[in-house]
């Protein structure tokens, strides 16, 4: 479609400028800042600019009326849809209608796409890609598939709280009685929430997605849905990713599943193969090492057997000792029996000789018994006599005690009489005191006087507290005034210095930032590296002429940012300022890159050739970390600065150089380049620079200086007043303290006097009680004197009784002495008879001593033999227990078997000899590696496990190989057939433009490396080469991409496809060829290579060439916006539609603006208007 080649420049009211803070906005209203349209993305024609190009000078006001472009009537079709096409012409799942309300740029609009090719055209910024966003979001997919905003709420039009998308899909042919499914999605700005409905009924995201997938809609597949911001992503798809997307778009679903299964099986196979190789290598290594160690192991086993045998022999010692002890016990028992028999025989032979000795010995024993009996009688009589003597002594002591008691009673009576005299004297004294003295005491009077003194003290204390509070308040106010004076003096000093003026400016810009900077200056020692203040105080502009230019490049946040040189300092400063100090307007940035790392984008001579006097960094001075921060954040090292306006030639040169930001004259420029659309896809933003007010050298504000001086004088006078009041308060406090001391002394005196009088009164009140007590004591002592004679008579009677009993005991003692004398005589008589018997026994014994000695010797022999037998038995029992314990221990059965191999007559000497022999063999054998045996056994177990695992891995590999072969035999032929069909269509498309191309499959051992291999040839004398970003240009890649997508048209399972601005970067020839091919395929035109037809197609583009082919089945949807859109009729506003049906043979529907619903444009009249403008220009 022809277009007017107008060069548009954005004014200062652009979207980016609206985001600037209020501190940087100029007061002047720019020409494009009209508020007629709420969206900032409306592109408006500047009539003054247009006339300056000489293109609209000859158009009369009548001819430029926008209402002429509105058709008189609108025909929406009558065949079942608003678009004028029959429902049966739509592929099931294709889009029949899209209705938008308050969505991005649209207030209310309705689209009616055709069933085949839909070309959506219009200038940049009018909302073409918004339709793509609506399709994606309306069908349930998220914003991540668009590459634009991340949150749903960002798609709600500015100024509205809710947006809605309504999409009507074509029904399936078998659903003749059913309506087209209508999906509606409402998006709420608050909470970032959305709601779904299907055919007017509330639904869920899952239900919407299931409905979309049932029609094979794949918004997340770039082969079906290619939005504007995903073009680069599609171009960046690797051949492997392209194969995956192609299968999803054109192949049955089971092929993708087969491919995924093959990748998983191959990955598992590689993993198992790697494990199998590793295990086999490990097994071979272990077996080799096992073979090398076998000789050492055999030697160690022999040595271990010897050590084991020595251990067995050592354990055999108790068994040999037990056999020896058992033999000794048997021999001892035999000898004991023989000795006892010999002793019996000897006793029988010597019995007559011993009989007389035995008789005398029996008599002697009987006499000994009589002596013992009589001795016991004698000792008993002695004890009875001793008891009587002891009884006499006790009675004598009792008599003495009673006599002592009589004397004590007499002494007590003497003391009693003395005490009676003393008590009588006290009674008379107390009676005299009671009769002579009368005392009165009033404690209430004293208490009242003391309370009066206490009240006076409290009053003085209260007055003193008031004085102290007043003084404390004065001191506090004095400190505050003093601090104010110090701050004011500091501000006054700062007004006289450049640095001070910058501090004042910092305080004006942000109180929080100024407070934070004061804290940082006082606490620099808490950081690892120096922390720098905001550029307002740290930096300056070397030449005042460049202040406006430099300040226009920086935002308020840049000027107020603190610079840290490490992450730890950044974290610590953030915790202090945000957490501890609770400051809000704070900006902290980290600069870890040196200033020397920021280099200009072009050389010095090239910069001067572009008309710049230097880089922005050249005109600002300050600490390197702060300048590095500004370079990193604002690119000060690559921003050109010139006080003069640049020429047109220099401006054109800057369009194609690395410099994207510069300041010249009174304007700043910023170029935005869209690399994905080719080198010519650029836009330039121009805005006026504001006057600088941060780094300007302004004179001292005398008004502020006078105000500070007057404040200091006023506060100084107030300080003097506070001092005078404080002195008066101190004097008053001293007076109150003196009064308090006097009253305290008086109160203390009253309390002491009260206590003395109270004690005396208490003693006077106690006199009657004391008198009664003394009289009671006197009466008690008098009664005690009357009972004394009775007690003395009783004691005398006890003495007489004890004396009589003592006489009786004396008589008993005399009788007992007589009995004792008789016992002595009987004892002595028996003892004499014993001496005679013992003498006779000794004579007889001496006569038979030799016989007796012989018997004693024989008896000792018998006893010794019996003792030996007993000892041998005990030793045998201990050894038997030890042998039993050895057999019950671990390895006891093995010891039992070893003992069975030993001879029965083996002695302990034989065991010791064999142990020595085996130890000699052990010493002669080299010990070797002591850990070899354990290593050999552990390795043997590991080898067994590895052999089992290798066997299992081989079985698993066999199973995996069979599974891969079986699945590949089904998948690979179908894939080859699918790619073959794509290649045929792709080749046919290239033949149409006189080029060559083919599509193949790159096959690899790893199924995840299988890929689509696209080969193209755009020139006659070159071979087919693989399509990549190095061999082909951007336009050639774009042609190849669109042809590849068209090749999927007849194969695709998707009901519709979306391609946004794919023709950007194509040259006119390729764009025209691609358009023709797209028209042939999408509009079902028959040709040799293509089957034609397929799914619905959406092609979004901001530009078209002249004289492009048109087909009745295609539909052109024109989207327009601007200040001169026609008004909306009441009927159209009621329906809320912004699009209409076909209006002319050239093709097209009108487009609605993003304003208040938009009007309907007659595309044919637009073409006629264009022709008139061309003719006028030619004249």
């Amino acid at each position: 479609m022809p277009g007017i080649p107008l060069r548009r420049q954005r004014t200062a009211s652009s979207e980016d400028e609206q985001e600037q803070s209020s501190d940087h906005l100029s007061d002047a209203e720019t020409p494009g800042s009209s508020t007629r349209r709420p969206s900032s993305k409306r592109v408006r024609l500047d009539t003054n600019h247009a006339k300056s190009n000489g293109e609209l000078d000859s158009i009369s006001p009548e001819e430029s009326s926008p209402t002429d472009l509105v058709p008189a009537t609108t025909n929406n079709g009558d065949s079942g849809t608003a678009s004028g096409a029959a429902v049966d012409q739509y592929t099931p799942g294709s889009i029949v209608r899209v209705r938008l309300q308050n969505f991005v740029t649209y207030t209310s609009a309705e689209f009616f796409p055709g069933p085949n090719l839909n070309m959506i055209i219009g200038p940049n910024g009018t909302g073409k890609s918004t339709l793509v966003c609506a399709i994606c979001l309306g069908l349930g997919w998220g914003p991540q598939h668009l590459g634009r905003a991340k949150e749903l709420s960002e798609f709600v039009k500015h100024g509205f709280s809710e947006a809605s998308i309504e999409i009507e899909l074509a029904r399936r042919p078998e659903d003749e009685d059913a309506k087209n499914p209508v999906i509606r999605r409402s998006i709420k700005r608050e909470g970032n929430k959305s709601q779904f409905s299907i055919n007017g009924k509330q639904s869920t995201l899952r239900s919407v997605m299931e409905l979309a997938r049932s029609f094979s809609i794949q918004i997340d597949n770039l082969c079906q849905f290619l939005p504007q911001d995903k073009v680069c992503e599609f171009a960046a798809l690797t051949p492997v990713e392209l194969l995956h997307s192609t299968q999803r778009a054109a192949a049955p679903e089971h092929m993708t599943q087969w491919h995924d299964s093959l990748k998983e099986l191959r990955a598992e196979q590689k993993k198992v193969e790697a494990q199998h190789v590793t295990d086999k290598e490990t097994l071979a290594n272990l077996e080799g090492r096992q073979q090398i160690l076998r000789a050492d192991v055999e030697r160690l086993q022999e040595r271990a057997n010897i050590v084991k045998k020595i251990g067995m022999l050592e354990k055999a010692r108790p068994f040999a000792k037990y056999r020896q002890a058992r033999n000794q016990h048997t021999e001892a028992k035999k000898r004991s029996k023989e000795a006892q028999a010999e002793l019996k025989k000897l006793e029988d032979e010597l019995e007559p000789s011993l009989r007389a000795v035995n008789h005398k010995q029996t008599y002697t024993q009987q006499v000994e018994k009589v002596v013992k009996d009589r001795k016991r009688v004698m000792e008993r009589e002695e004890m009875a006599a001793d008891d009587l003597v002891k009884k006499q002594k006790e009675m004598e002591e009792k008599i003495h005690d009673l006599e002592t008691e009589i004397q004590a009673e007499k002494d007590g009576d003497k003391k009693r009489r003395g005490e009676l005299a003393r008590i009588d004297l006290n009674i008379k004294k107390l009676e005299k005191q009671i009769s002579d003295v009368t005392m009165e005491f009033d404690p209430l009077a004293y208490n009242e006087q003391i309370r009066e003194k206490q009240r006076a003290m409290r009053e003085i204390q209260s007055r003193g507290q008031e004085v102290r509070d007043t003084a404390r308040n004065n001191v506090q106010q004095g400190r505050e005034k003093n601090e104010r004076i110090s701050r004011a003096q500091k501000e006054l000093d700062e007004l006289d210095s450049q640095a001070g003026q910058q501090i004042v400016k910092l305080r004006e810009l942000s109180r929080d930032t100024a407070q934070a900077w004061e804290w940082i200056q006082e606490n620099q020692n808490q950081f690892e590296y120096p922390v720098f203040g905001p550029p307002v105080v740290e930096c300056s502009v070397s030449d005042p002429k460049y202040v406006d230019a430099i300040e226009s490049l920086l935002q308020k946040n840049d000027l107020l940012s603190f610079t840290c040189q490490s992450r730890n300092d950044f974290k610590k400063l953030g915790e202090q300022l945000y957490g501890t100090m609770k400051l809000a307007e704070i900006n902290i940035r980290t600069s870890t890159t040196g200033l020397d790392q920021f280099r200009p984008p072009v050389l010095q001579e090239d910069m001067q050739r572009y008309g710049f006097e230097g880089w922005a960094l050249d005109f600002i001075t300050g600490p390197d970390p702060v300048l590095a921060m500004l370079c990193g954040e604002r690119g000060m090292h690559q921003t050109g600065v010139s006080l003069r306006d640049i020429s047109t030639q220099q401006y054109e040169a800057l369009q194609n150089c690395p410099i994207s930001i510069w300041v010249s004259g009174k304007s700043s420029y910023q170029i935005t380049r869209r690399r994905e659309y080719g080198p010519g896809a650029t836009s330039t933003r121009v805005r006026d620079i504001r006057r600088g007010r941060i780094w300007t050298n302004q004179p001292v504000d005398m008004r502020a200086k006078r105000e500070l001086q007057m404040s200091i004088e006023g506060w100084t006078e107030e300080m003097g007043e506070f001092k005078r009041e404080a002195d008066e308060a101190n004097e008053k406090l001293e007076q109150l303290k003196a009064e308090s001391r006097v009253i305290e002394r008086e109160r203390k005196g009253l309390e002491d006097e009260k206590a003395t009088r109270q004690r005396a009164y208490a003693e006077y009140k106690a006199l009657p009680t004391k008198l009664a007590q003394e009289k009671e004591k006197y009466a008690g002592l008098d009664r005690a004197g009357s009972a004394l004679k009775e007690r003395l008579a009783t004691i005398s009677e006890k003495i007489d009784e004890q004396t009589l009993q003592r006489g009786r005991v004396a008589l008993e003692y005399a009788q007992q002495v007589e009995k004792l004398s008789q016992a002595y005589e009987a004892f002595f008589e028996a003892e004499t008879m014993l001496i005679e018997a013992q003498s006779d026994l000794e004579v007889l014994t001496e006569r038979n001593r030799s016989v007796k000695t012989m018997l004693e010797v024989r008896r000792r022999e018998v006893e010794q033999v019996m003792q030996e037998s007993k000892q041998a038995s005990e030793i045998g029992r201990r050894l038997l227990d030890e042998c039993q314990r050895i057999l019950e221990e671990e390895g006891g059965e093995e010891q039992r078997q070893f003992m069975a191999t030993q001879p029965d007559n083996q002695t302990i000497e034989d065991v010791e000899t064999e142990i020595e022999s085996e130890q000699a063999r052990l010493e002669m054998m080299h010990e070797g590696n002591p850990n070899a045996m354990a290593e050999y056994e552990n390795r043997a177990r590991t080898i067994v496990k590895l052999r089992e695992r290798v066997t299992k891995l081989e079985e698993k590999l066999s199973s995996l190989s069979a599974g891969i072969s079986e699945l590949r035999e089904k998948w690979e032929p179908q894939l080859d057939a699918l790619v073959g069909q794509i290649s045929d269509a792709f080749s046919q498309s290239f033949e149409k433009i006189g080029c060559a191309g083919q599509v193949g499959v790159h096959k690899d051992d790893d199924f995840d490396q299988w890929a689509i291999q696209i080969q193209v040839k755009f020139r006659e004398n070159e071979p087919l080469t693989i399509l990549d970003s190095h061999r082909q240009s951007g336009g050639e890649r774009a042609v190849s991409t669109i042809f590849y997508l068209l090749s999927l048209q007849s194969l695709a399972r998707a009901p519709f496809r979306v391609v946004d601005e794919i023709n950007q970067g194509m040259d006119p020839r390729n764009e025209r060829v691609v358009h023709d091919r797209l028209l042939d395929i999408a509009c079902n035109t028959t040709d040799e290579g293509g089957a034609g037809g397929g799914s619905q197609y959406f092609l979004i583009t901001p530009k078209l060439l002249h004289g492009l082919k048109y087909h009745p089945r295609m539909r052109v949807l024109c989207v327009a916006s601007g200040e001169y859109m026609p008004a909306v009729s009441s009927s159209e506003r009621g329906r809320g539609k912004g699009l209409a049906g076909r209006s002319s043979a050239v093709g097209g529907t009108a487009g609605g603006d993003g304003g208040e619903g938009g009007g309907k444009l007659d595309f044919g009249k637009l073409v006629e208007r264009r022709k008139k403008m061309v003719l006028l220009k030619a004249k």
Side-chain angles (χ1 to χ4, degrees), residues 930-1025:
N931 299 322
M933 179 62 71
E935 293 177 4
Y936 185 84
E937 294 174 351
N938 292 335
R939 192 177 293 120
R941 288 191 291 270
T942 304
I943 287 173
V944 172
K945 292 180 180 178
L946 273 176
R947 285 173 179 166
E948 295 175 354
R949 191 161 68 187
V950 166
T951 302
K952 291 180 180 178
L953 290 175
E954 289 173 350
E955 294 174 355
K956 190 171 183 180
L957 280 175
S958 178
S959 174
L960 288 172
S961 299
I964 291 174
S965 299
E966 180 182 358
L967 202 56
R968 181 172 181 174
E969 289 173 359
K970 294 188 292 183
W971 173 70
E972 186 175 6
Q974 295 187 28
L975 178 65
D976 290 339
L978 173 69
V979 175
Q981 293 177 4
I982 295 173
S983 181
D984 292 343
F986 187 75
S987 301
Q988 183 67 31
S989 297
F990 266 82
E991 289 177 3
K992 291 287 185 179
I993 64 173
C995 301
Q998 68 180 21
V999 181
V1001 180
H1002 169 72
K1003 301 181 179 181
D1004 193 272
D1005 291 339
D1006 293 335
F1007 291 99
D1008 56 358
Q1009 297 300 318
W1010 283 45
I1012 289 292
Q1013 194 173 63
I1014 301 176
Q1015 293 179 303
V1016 295
K1017 183 178 75 171
F1018 285 92
R1019 281 162 285 280
E1020 185 175 355
N1021 296 324
E1022 67 177 15
L1024 285 170
T1025 57

Side-chain angles (χ1 to χ4, degrees), residues 908-1109:
I908 186 65
E909 289 79 10
D910 297 338
V911 174
E912 295 294 342
T913 300
E914 192 168 358
I915 289 175
E916 292 176 1
S917 175
E918 294 297 332
Q919 286 179 342
R921 286 181 60 199
L922 187 65
E923 292 174 358
M924 294 175 63
M925 185 175 294
H926 186 264
E927 184 175 1
N929 182 7
N931 299 322
M933 179 62 71
E935 293 177 4
Y936 185 84
E937 294 174 351
N938 292 335
R939 192 177 293 120
R941 288 191 291 270
T942 304
I943 287 173
V944 172
K945 292 180 180 178
L946 273 176
R947 285 173 179 166
E948 295 175 354
R949 191 161 68 187
V950 166
T951 302
K952 291 180 180 178
L953 290 175
E954 289 173 350
E955 294 174 355
K956 190 171 183 180
L957 280 175
S958 178
S959 174
L960 288 172
S961 299
I964 291 174
S965 299
E966 180 182 358
L967 202 56
R968 181 172 181 174
E969 289 173 359
K970 294 188 292 183
W971 173 70
E972 186 175 6
Q974 295 187 28
L975 178 65
D976 290 339
L978 173 69
V979 175
Q981 293 177 4
I982 295 173
S983 181
D984 292 343
F986 187 75
S987 301
Q988 183 67 31
S989 297
F990 266 82
E991 289 177 3
K992 291 287 185 179
I993 64 173
C995 301
Q998 68 180 21
V999 181
V1001 180
H1002 169 72
K1003 301 181 179 181
D1004 193 272
D1005 291 339
D1006 293 335
F1007 291 99
D1008 56 358
Q1009 297 300 318
W1010 283 45
I1012 289 292
Q1013 194 173 63
I1014 301 176
Q1015 293 179 303
V1016 295
K1017 183 178 75 171
F1018 285 92
R1019 281 162 285 280
E1020 185 175 355
N1021 296 324
E1022 67 177 15
L1024 285 170
T1025 57
I1026 295 176
L1027 178 68
D1028 58 27
S1029 60
H1030 303 292
R1031 294 185 178 91
Q1032 289 81 23
S1033 65
E1036 291 171 344
R1037 291 198 303 275
V1039 171
S1040 302
T1041 299
I1042 192 64
F1043 278 172
Y1044 185 81
L1045 294 177
L1046 291 173
S1047 301
L1048 301 177
Q1049 180 74 0
S1050 60
L1051 304 173
R1053 298 183 297 118
F1056 64 85
R1057 313 178 120 195
V1058 176
V1059 180
D1060 192 355
E1061 299 191 14
I1062 191 64
N1063 59 336
Q1064 293 289 349
M1066 291 186 187
D1067 58 27
R1069 174 183 174 278
N1070 286 335
E1071 185 175 356
R1072 192 177 301 278
V1073 169
V1074 167
H1075 175 80
D1076 293 345
R1077 187 59 180 163
L1078 177 63
L1079 199 66
D1080 291 342
I1081 294 175
C1083 294
N1084 202 16
T1085 301
T1086 304
D1087 55 35
E1088 301 97 305
S1095 58
Q1096 185 182 39
Y1097 227 102
F1098 290 87
L1099 179 63
I1100 292 89
T1101 178
K1103 66 183 183 69
L1104 284 178
L1105 301 174
H1106 299 283
L1108 291 177
K1109 184 190 296 184

Side-chain angles (χ1 to χ4, degrees), residues 356-368 841:
V357 177
N358 291 337
H359 178 72
K360 183 56 70 175
Q361 188 174 8
T362 302
Y363 172 74
T364 304
Q365 291 174 351
Q366 292 174 352
V367 173
E368 286 178 351
L841 179 62

